[in-house]
């Protein structure tokens, strides 16, 4: 990945601009952590970059930067700038392009994110980034109060990096977060969610939870149930426990999944019926929340007599022919009864046993009566 990144910056340099790999990739590289993407900083403007990389696209999400893919690696190339005038603690009003790398580095969030690699592969460290990386400390580049006022997202980024990298927050940074936490009110819910996702997906989640509480962010982030969080390998399990479905943005699938996980918790994820009606995945997440070993859930899933309706050896035609009734709600009710009896091991999955049982249920319950009424009303 470094080789490809060096190729990209050398292409920019060959067009007589400066370019450096900057930020997360370099920080992670020094620490021996693998990165997914690479940030590049350059004095070439977007319009110049489009000429150098004709297939590049301007990323609307990341204001004024150009994204290219090279050997399937994502490069986000940003032109040197300083902080423009900010109108909402978040978006620069205008981009002030500048000519010097050091000025660009000074507008960045934390010292650990200002380290660079040049076209020869050498480290360029203008703001003592390396000593903070070695000391595992998160310090803002400028005064932290000033920094958070410019961009409140940095508050959550600080906690995210402390969590994922297992770094300490500098004392002044902590104090500034406590004083500036109200600014998070105006940060978009999507940005809050994406930082929280990273914090909650980290194996060090405990660090993040502790900081959120210690720095008084529970209310402003709507995390009233934070103390109920259980270690969970799936971030959706954390969100399920937090119960903020209507506050944070989730997809329809995620909302349904969270509902199923909650139902699985209520109905015991070890039960065959729960595994059958809610499926394995929600049950394993529910199991994690309830501290049930995954193996127990998997064993039970394997031992289920049926996993889906088509595993049952009879079908609706068999029922209709055998009971001499019409298809309709009665059949649906019978199916449900048969499924539950099968899952509770009260009947074997054999044609004879199931048809006999169906007949017994049909004749002894008031299904017959209902059937008659229905024929009357529908007929
Ligand atoms: P990762 O990619 O692992 O999430 P990163 O440090 O690369 O971490 P990015 O969001 O990719 O973070 O940003 C790239 C660089 O841009 C950062 O390293 C930092 O120098 C700068 N940066 C990003 N967000 C901000 C911000 N809100 N304020 C100031 N500088 C920022
Ligand atoms: Mg990055």
């Amino acid at each position: 990945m470094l080789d490809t990144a060096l190729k990209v910056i050398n292409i920019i340099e060959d067009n007589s601009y400066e370019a450096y790999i900057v930020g997360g990739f370099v920080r992670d590289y020094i620490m021996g952590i693998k990165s997914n993407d690479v940030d590049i900083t350059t004095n070439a403007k977007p319009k110049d970059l489009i000429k150098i990389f004709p297939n590049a696209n301007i990323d609307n999400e990341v204001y004024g930067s150009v994204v290219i893919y090279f050997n399937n690696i994502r490069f986000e190339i940003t032109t040197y700038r300083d902080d423009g005038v900010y109108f909402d603690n978040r978006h620069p009003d205008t981009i002030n392009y500048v000519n010097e790398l050091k000025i660009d580095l000074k507008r960045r969030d934390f010292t650990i994110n200002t380290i660079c690699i040049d076209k020869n592969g050498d480290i360029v460290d203008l703001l003592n980034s390396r000593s903070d990386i070695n000391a595992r400390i998160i310090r803002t580049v400028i005064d932290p109060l000033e920094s958070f006022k410019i961009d409140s997202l940095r508050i959550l980024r600080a906690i995210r990096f402390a969590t994922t990298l297992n770094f300490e927050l500098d004392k002044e940074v902590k104090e500034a977060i406590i004083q500036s936490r109200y600014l998070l009110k105006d940060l978009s819910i999507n940005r809050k969610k994406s930082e929280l996702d990273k914090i909650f997906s980290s194996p060090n989640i405990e660090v993040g939870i502790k900081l959120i509480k210690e720095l008084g962010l529970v209310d402003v982030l709507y995390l009233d149930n934070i103390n109920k969080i259980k270690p969970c390998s799936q971030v959706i399990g954390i969100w399920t426990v937090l119960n903020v479905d209507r506050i944070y943005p989730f997809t329809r699938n995620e909302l349904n999944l969270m509902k199923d996980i909650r139902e699985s918790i209520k109905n015991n994820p070890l039960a065959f019926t729960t595994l059958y009606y809610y499926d394995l995945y929600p049950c394993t997440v529910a199991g994690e929340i309830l501290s049930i070993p995954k193996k127990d859930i998997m064993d039970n899933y394997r031992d289920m007599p049926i996993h889906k309706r088509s595993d049952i050896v009879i079908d609706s035609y068999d029922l209709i022919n055998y009971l001499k009734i019409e298809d309709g709600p009665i059949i649906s009710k019978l199916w449900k009864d048969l499924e539950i009896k099968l899952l509770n091991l009260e009947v074997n999955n054999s044609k004879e046993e199931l048809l006999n049982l169906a007949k017994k249920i049909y004749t002894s319950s008031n299904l017959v009566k209902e059937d008659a009424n229905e024929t009357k009303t529908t007929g």
Side-chain angles (χ1 to χ4, degrees), residues 221-234:
L221 296 174
Y222 319 105
L223 302 178
D224 303 354
N225 290 332
I226 195 164
N227 287 325
K228 295 189 189 155
I229 291 181
K230 294 277 157 48
C232 199
S233 64
Q234 309 293 310

Side-chain angles (χ1 to χ4, degrees), residues 22-25 27-28 35 37 39 76 90 107-110 113-114 151 153-154 157 160-161 198:
V22 67
F25 175 83
R27 178 197 72 219
D28 292 347
S35 293
D37 56 7
D39 298 291
E76 190 177 320
R90 175 65 213 146
R107 60 95 188 169
R108 291 176 182 267
D109 49 5
F110 308 111
N113 290 341
T114 62
D151 183 0
L153 176 67
R154 294 173 185 173
R157 282 176 59 92
R160 191 246 291 189
F161 290 123
K198 290 175 190 163

